[in-house]
């Protein structure tokens, strides 16, 4: 075996693990923040395991997984919008909240049918926003705030402002397990892997990055800007609706308070994970690990007995710190 990891067998060179290339890739200026978050997640987990009683217990690990799942799914959807250069989708919380109501009201059709209907309706919400932003070039922040108001109003009208109790069994999605892991965390991992594949390996993903890096150049070179943005908003809204279904399955009911704070949590995960706020740079899995990191930090603070107010302050500081780190890395690259 040579130093760079090549193995010769029968006169043929088989390319193996190249630690030098991997290290150079991880320490590129645009990857410094995400690499730091990945490392910090592992280090904090090891530190908490040996210093905080109960952190590594099965019940606590499950609690971290459940708190990660819905936020993580929303975060990987939000990452599509950030990668496109349109900052954030501020209707995700409203979409998730209304989706809990829809999930509960559709549950009598069966769990699978309820989830599919909720995700499809979420896709329609995203389609409307994608058409406005991608085809009519409206301001993405104003558009999604306005859509959040419309969605919330429609949900309140549909439910009468009341909590809707589901008539059916949502235990598989709410508390079910497969191979000892919560089904929700498995669905989160599946969603993250699927969206990561789409962004990294398809034409849609390549165009999404190019639009985020330089939208004017993307238009001049004939990229499908409008279509790509419509799909991005649809995928993001479907992710928010799916997150709402997870919240609804946990509570076996739906109301406008469940998932209402999803916007900030998803944005925090995207920024902490290292997805560039200017667009075009970052990976879907970075947003996913950002959600894991924030859930773990919140859990550590909770085990330490700190109040909710302190937890919110710490979470805000972490987000600000990640933005500063990203800006410094960008300046170093330039």
């Amino acid at each position: 075996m040579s130093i760079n990891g090549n193995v010769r067998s029968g006169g043929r060179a088989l390319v193996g693990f190249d630690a030098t290339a991997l290290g150079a890739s991880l320490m590129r200026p645009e990857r410094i923040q995400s690499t730091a978050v990945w490392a910090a997640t592992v280090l904090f987990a090891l530190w908490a395991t040996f210093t905080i009683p109960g952190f590594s217990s099965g019940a606590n690990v499950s609690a971290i997984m459940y708190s990660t799942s819905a936020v993580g799914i929303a975060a990987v959807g939000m990452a599509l919008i950030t990668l496109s250069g349109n900052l954030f989708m501020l209707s995700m919380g409203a979409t998730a909240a209304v989706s809990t109501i829809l999930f509960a009201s559709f549950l009598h059709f069966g769990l699978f049918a309820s989830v599919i209907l909720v995700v499809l309706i979420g896709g329609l919400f995203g389609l409307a926003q994608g058409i406005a932003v991608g085809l009519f070039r409206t301001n993405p922040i104003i558009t999604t705030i306005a859509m959040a108001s419309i969605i919330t109003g429609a949900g309140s009208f549909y439910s009468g402002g009341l909590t809707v109790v589901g008539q059916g069994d949502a235990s598989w999605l709410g508390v079910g397990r497969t191979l000892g892991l919560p089904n929700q965390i498995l669905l989160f991992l599946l969603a993250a892997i699927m969206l990561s594949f789409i962004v990294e390996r398809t034409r849609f993903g390549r165009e999404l990055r190019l639009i985020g890096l330089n939208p004017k150049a993307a238009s001049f070179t004939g990229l499908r800007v409008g279509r790509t943005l419509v799909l991005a908003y649809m995928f993001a809204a479907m992710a928010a609706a799916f997150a709402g279904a997870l919240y609804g399955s946990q509570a076996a009911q739906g109301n406008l308070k469940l998932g209402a704070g999803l916007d900030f949590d998803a944005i925090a995960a995207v920024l902490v994970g290292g997805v560039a706020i200017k667009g075009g740079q970052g990976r879907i899995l970075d947003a996913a690990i950002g959600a894991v990191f924030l859930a773990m930090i919140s859990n550590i603070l909770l085990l330490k007995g700190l109040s909710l107010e302190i937890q919110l302050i710490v979470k805000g500081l972490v987000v600000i710190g990640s933005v500063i780190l990203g800006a410094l890395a960008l300046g170093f690259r330039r």
Side-chain angles (χ1 to χ4, degrees), residues 136-202:
F136 292 98
R137 301 293 194 270
T138 60
N139 182 284
I141 299 299
I142 295 174
T143 299
T144 55
I145 290 176
M147 194 63 186
S149 178
I150 295 171
I151 293 170
T152 302
S156 180
F157 177 80
Y158 178 81
S159 65
L162 303 174
T163 295
V164 178
V165 179
Q167 302 298 319
D169 183 13
S171 59
W172 185 90
L173 185 60
V175 296
R177 291 175 174 269
T178 300
L179 300 177
L181 294 174
N183 292 330
Q184 290 199 4
I185 199 70
L186 295 177
L187 291 171
F188 161 51
L189 294 174
L190 179 62
I193 292 171
M194 288 178 58
L195 281 179
S196 179
F197 177 83
I198 290 172
V199 170
E200 301 297 334
R201 301 294 182 181
T202 67

Side-chain angles (χ1 to χ4, degrees), residues 61-249:
V61 172
S62 292
I64 295 175
M65 290 183 181
Y66 278 113
S67 63
T68 300
S69 301
V71 173
I73 289 174
V76 297
M78 182 74 80
L80 296 175
I81 306 303
T82 307
L83 284 172
S84 73
N86 286 292
L87 297 176
F88 311 115
M89 186 177 185
L90 298 181
S91 60
M92 274 199 162
T95 299
V98 172
S99 293
T100 66
I101 295 173
L102 296 175
F103 175 82
S105 63
F106 294 153
L107 191 56
H108 63 279
F109 293 126
L111 177 61
F112 180 75
S114 177
V115 172
I116 294 298
L117 288 171
V118 165
V119 171
L120 289 177
I121 293 173
L124 293 178
F125 294 159
L127 175 63
Q129 295 167 89
I131 290 174
V133 175
L135 300 183
F136 292 98
R137 301 293 194 270
T138 60
N139 182 284
I141 299 299
I142 295 174
T143 299
T144 55
I145 290 176
M147 194 63 186
S149 178
I150 295 171
I151 293 170
T152 302
S156 180
F157 177 80
Y158 178 81
S159 65
L162 303 174
T163 295
V164 178
V165 179
Q167 302 298 319
D169 183 13
S171 59
W172 185 90
L173 185 60
V175 296
R177 291 175 174 269
T178 300
L179 300 177
L181 294 174
N183 292 330
Q184 290 199 4
I185 199 70
L186 295 177
L187 291 171
F188 161 51
L189 294 174
L190 179 62
I193 292 171
M194 288 178 58
L195 281 179
S196 179
F197 177 83
I198 290 172
V199 170
E200 301 297 334
R201 301 294 182 181
T202 67
R203 178 180 176 181
F204 162 77
R206 291 190 292 272
E207 290 183 341
L208 189 73
R209 288 188 184 280
L210 292 173
I211 292 168
L213 288 171
N214 195 328
K216 291 184 179 180
S219 297
F220 291 148
T221 55
L223 295 183
R224 305 171 301 177
V225 176
R227 178 181 174 181
T228 300
L229 291 179
V230 168
L231 287 175
Y233 276 88
M234 286 183 63
F235 285 144
M238 291 167 73
F242 191 24
L246 297 191
Y247 285 130
S249 67

Side-chain angles (χ1 to χ4, degrees), residues 285-310:
L285 294 181
D286 294 338
I289 197 64
V292 174
F293 178 77
L294 289 174
M296 187 176 64
I297 292 297
S298 296
N299 182 264
I300 290 174
L301 296 175
L302 182 63
L303 291 177
K304 285 289 189 180
L306 298 178
S307 65
L308 177 61
E309 294 81 4
I310 299 299

Side-chain angles (χ1 to χ4, degrees), residues 13 19 94 209 267 278:
R209 288 188 184 280
I267 291 171
K278 291 183 177 295

